[in-house]
Amino acid sequence: MLLPFIFSRKLVLFLAVPNLSDPLPRDEASLVRALQDGDETVFSAVMDQYSGSLLRLAMAYVPSRAVAEEVVQETWIGVLEGIGRFEGRSSFKTWVFRILTNRAKTRGTRERRYEPFGLAGVDSEKDEGSSLEDSLFVAEGSGSGHWVDPPQGWEADTPERALLSKECRIAIEEAINGLPDNQRQVITLRDVEGVSAEEVCNILTISETNQRVLLHRARTKVRRVLDPYVRGGNS
Amino acid sequence: MGFMAGNFTCKEVAALITEYLEGSLTLTQRIRFQMHLGLCFACRNYLRQMKYTVATLRQLPSEPVPTQVREALLERFRSWKHEQSSPNSSSDS
Ligand SMILES: [Zn+2]
């Protein structure tokens, strides 16, 4: 179908189903071979398909958009340098994203932004985990564990409607930007870019459990930011 | 309302919500989770809000890549291809 390709690159990326109007080869082996053979149409289609997601992920590692754009450029150059040796031990997509995270970490460290997981980091993560939902619930007495302010039905019925408000979109983007780096990386890939849980674990080299914990914290915070924009008439 | 509904408290349900959505709860946990939901509208609302949050994130406009970045990379691709097709180019040039 041509329409989804025009209207939503994300949708095509998510489904990853090449078709007649799509210049991308049907299977990954042909895609890799076409790139190794120097097929510019395929290279430019792959670039168009992944660059937006790569850029968003890079911004979760480095302090500015300009540096993130450089990282995306370095990533594609890395793809060209490495494609001859690509053996398909991971999916092509995972491989490309791994090149990006490696470059982004190097740049992030140089720009004094990215702090690799350290013991101190793990401890503060634990503290955050126990307090994440505390404020939403009654702490003691007969109502202990129950909602302080029971969640209401949200007014806006479709996500598109929530995003119609520019204010709301900016608030969501800022909420994501304000997350700890590792939570931001996970929610960016999983929810914003629609990458599968398995691929996220491979790209970020984290365990399934860690992926879920980080995703949970990130989603919980974004939900809280979204709440006042989509609450029913009582606000 | 849903206080003490099923076995889980509302707070426990909220803490397990991502594991529920990811399909990683054990069978027993999932049954207890769903029992709580069946009796507690507040947690049902919370679950719907979480799903809505995920769907909203998915609708964020994609990050635009500047055309000059794209052009520079296509240039780079052409020179890479040229080097590939002439393996002796390094000694030639
Ligand atoms: Zn409840």
Side-chain angles (χ1 to χ4, degrees):
Chain A
M1 280 165 63
L2 186 61
L3 290 180
F5 186 68
I6 293 170
F7 290 121
S8 170
R9 281 191 301 112
K10 272 187 182 175
L11 181 66
V12 174
L13 170 67
F14 188 51
L15 298 174
V17 181
N19 53 62
L20 290 176
S21 60
D22 189 336
L24 287 178
R26 271 172 200 290
D27 63 284
E28 204 165 277
S30 325
L31 171 85
V32 170
R33 217 172 310 120
L35 290 176
Q36 288 168 342
D37 291 347
D39 185 329
E40 186 173 324
T41 315
V42 169
F43 180 70
S44 99
V46 170
M47 234 173 34
D48 289 345
Q49 195 179 41
Y50 293 146
S51 291
S53 306
L54 290 169
L55 181 55
R56 207 186 271 277
L57 181 59
M59 286 159 71
Y61 288 85
V62 299
S64 74
R65 194 194 162 88
V67 176
E69 286 172 3
E70 285 173 29
V71 170
V72 171
Q73 259 177 307
E74 289 171 17
T75 299
W76 288 115
I77 291 165
V79 167
L80 293 179
E81 284 165 357
I83 192 71
R85 299 185 304 276
F86 179 77
E87 286 169 341
R89 266 181 298 213
S90 64
S91 75
F92 174 74
K93 180 177 172 182
T94 299
W95 180 68
V96 174
F97 277 77
R98 286 288 298 276
I99 296 176
L100 178 107
T101 56
N102 285 328
R103 311 253 156 169
K105 274 182 213 168
T106 310
R107 283 305 290 270
T109 311
R110 204 189 307 159
E111 318 272 344
R112 295 172 163 275
R113 155 81 196 268
Y114 184 73
E115 304 274 340
F117 293 93
L119 275 176
V122 172
D123 285 346
S124 66
E125 285 285 320
K126 271 184 193 150
D127 295 346
E128 184 190 49
S130 57
S131 62
L132 186 62
E133 278 123 0
D134 278 359
S135 63
L136 299 174
F137 297 93
V138 179
E140 286 167 45
S142 60
S144 158
H146 194 52
W147 296 98
V148 172
D149 175 19
Q152 310 290 311
W154 277 356
E155 187 186 49
D157 42 312
T158 66
E160 290 84 352
R161 192 165 153 210
L163 287 176
L164 280 181
S165 140
K166 194 183 169 196
E167 250 182 293
C168 174
R169 201 178 68 225
I170 291 168
I172 295 172
E173 300 260 13
E174 278 174 0
I176 295 173
N177 298 352
L179 293 170
D181 288 350
N182 49 9
Q183 292 177 27
R184 181 176 171 184
Q185 290 150 16
V186 170
I187 201 170
T188 296
L189 283 173
R190 274 304 299 282
D191 291 345
V192 183
E193 303 298 341
V195 175
S196 74
E198 193 192 350
E199 279 177 309
V200 172
C201 293
N202 290 335
I203 291 167
L204 302 177
T205 55
I206 54 176
S207 69
E208 283 175 45
T209 308
N210 203 0
Q211 193 263 160
R212 276 197 302 272
V213 169
L214 295 169
L215 184 63
H216 179 71
R217 290 175 191 171
R219 281 181 179 172
T220 302
K221 291 174 196 167
V222 174
R223 186 213 66 89
R224 206 175 295 185
V225 169
L226 193 54
D227 190 29
Y229 293 93
V230 282
R231 248 172 202 255
N234 60 344
S235 58
Chain B
M1 248 172 17
F3 171 56
M4 285 301 283
N7 277 324
F8 284 137
T9 62
C10 296
K11 189 178 178 181
E12 287 168 327
V13 163
L16 288 172
I17 208 153
T18 304
E19 293 203 50
Y20 174 73
L21 291 172
E22 295 279 282
S24 60
L25 292 181
T26 64
L27 181 63
T28 324
Q29 283 178 317
R30 198 165 71 238
I31 291 167
R32 289 169 73 198
F33 189 96
Q34 283 168 334
M35 273 172 59
H36 183 107
L37 282 189
L39 295 166
C40 179
F41 81 90
C43 286
R44 279 203 301 279
N45 277 339
Y46 191 67
L47 177 64
R48 279 180 36 211
Q49 291 185 1
M50 273 299 208
K51 288 179 175 171
Y52 183 105
T53 301
V54 174
T56 303
L57 286 166
R58 194 74 190 92
Q59 295 296 326
L60 285 175
S62 65
E63 205 54 62
V65 178
T67 43
Q68 62 269 31
V69 171
R70 193 176 181 281
E71 290 308 314
L73 280 167
L74 286 176
E75 258 328 294
R76 187 75 184 221
F77 180 83
R78 284 171 206 133
S79 59
W80 170 80
K81 188 179 172 180
H82 184 72
E83 286 164 29
Q84 295 295 107
S85 56
S86 48
N88 297 324
S89 59
S90 53
S91 53
D92 289 352
S93 55

